[in-house]
Amino acid sequence: MPAPLLEARQLTKRFPGVTALRAVAFDLRAGEVHALCGENGAGKSTLIKSLSGSVKPESGRILVNGRELTLGSVKASEAAGIAVIHQESVAFPHLNAQDNIFVGREPRVMGLLLDRSRMVKETRGLLERLGEHINPYKPVGELPMAQRQMVGMARALSQDCRLLIMDEPTASLSTRETEVLFRIIRQLKSEGVSILDLSHRM
C-alpha cells in the first residue's frame, strides 16, 4: 500500500468553552476520495482550517508526503498542495474567472504589466480540463453556482493542488449540477488528486 499523502496526528484545538478537535487522526492517500460527515458544530470547519493553515491547533502534527507542515501557516499548506473550496467558493464575485483564479499571484510581463493573454490562455486550459466552457471575461457573480465552483476548482488546480477540500459542495446545487461535480471529482481522482468532501448530510 502506498504511503499516505496526508497524515493528521492527534490534532487538538480548543476555543473558549468548547473543544472543537480532540486528538483527531486520519490518513489520506493520493487519489482517494473521503467524505467527512457531521452535524453543524461537530468540528468539520475547524479541521479544514487546521489543514489549510488558517487555524493553529494547540497540539498535533500534519504531514504531507512525510514532511511536517508548520501549523497555522496558510502559506505552508498552499505550498504543500492543500486547497480549500468553501461554500462561497468565489472570493470576488465582481471579478471575472481569470481574475479570481490568479488574484494575488497574477503573472506579469517584465515584472510590471499584467500578462492578460497568459491569464486568459491558462484559464481556458484549466476550465477545459474540468470540462467547462465559461466566458473568462464575465463576472463570476453572474454565473450559476455550479460554474462558480468550477472557477474555485480551477484556481486550486492552478496552484498544483494535491489535496482538494470541498466544504458542503452540493449544498446549493441542483441534481444535474451535482452529477457534473461528481464527474469532475472522479476525473481529479484519476489524476491522483485527493478529495476531502465535508457535509452535514449523509
Side-chain angles (χ1 to χ4, degrees):
M1 182 177 291
L5 168 71
L6 175 86
E7 300 172 75
R9 293 288 178 261
Q10 305 299 311
L11 295 179
T12 296
K13 176 62 180 177
R14 299 179 182 87
F15 296 102
V18 64
T19 299
L21 303 177
R22 181 181 289 111
V24 171
F26 71 96
D27 294 345
L28 188 64
R29 288 172 172 77
E32 286 187 339
V33 178
H34 286 244
L36 181 63
C37 297
E39 296 179 357
N40 290 333
K44 302 186 304 297
S45 294
T46 302
L47 176 59
I48 66 171
K49 288 177 180 178
S50 296
L51 296 176
S52 65
S54 59
V55 161
K56 183 177 181 179
E58 273 90 28
S59 61
R61 304 168 68 207
I62 299 172
L63 298 94
V64 177
N65 283 331
R67 299 184 63 179
E68 189 162 354
L69 288 185
T70 301
L71 296 179
S73 169
V74 172
K75 184 176 181 180
S77 293
E78 288 181 348
I82 298 174
V84 181
I85 299 179
H86 298 280
Q87 282 181 274
E88 296 298 326
S89 57
V90 177
F92 304 101
H94 61 289
L95 298 180
N96 58 34
Q98 65 194 32
D99 288 333
N100 268 282
I101 289 170
F102 289 100
V103 65
R105 49 190 185 86
E106 297 87 349
R108 296 182 181 273
V109 178
M110 304 293 289
L112 299 173
L113 301 175
L114 290 183
D115 192 342
R116 287 287 181 186
S117 61
R118 178 181 165 188
M119 290 169 67
V120 171
K121 180 179 179 181
E122 292 191 14
T123 295
R124 286 180 172 153
L126 289 163
L127 292 172
E128 286 174 7
R129 178 180 170 187
L130 295 171
E132 289 290 325
H133 299 282
I134 298 172
N135 182 345
Y137 301 103
K138 189 172 185 178
V140 174
E142 298 178 10
L143 299 174
M145 182 59 69
Q147 290 191 332
R148 296 184 204 180
Q149 289 193 333
M150 295 306 114
V151 173
M153 282 191 177
R155 176 174 171 82
L157 294 177
S158 75
Q159 297 171 289
D160 195 24
C161 164
R162 288 183 285 174
L163 168 59
L164 181 61
I165 302 172
M166 307 177 71
D167 185 6
E168 303 280 358
T170 63
S172 302
L173 302 185
S174 67
T175 300
R176 186 189 65 80
E177 291 171 333
T178 298
E179 290 172 355
V180 171
L181 177 66
F182 286 169
R183 173 184 60 78
I184 291 171
I185 288 175
R186 288 191 293 270
Q187 176 185 331
L188 294 177
K189 169 183 167 64
S190 72
E191 296 176 6
V193 178
S194 301
I195 310 287
L196 184 59
D197 179 357
L198 277 67
S199 180
H200 67 277
R201 301 181 300 176
M202 288 296 291

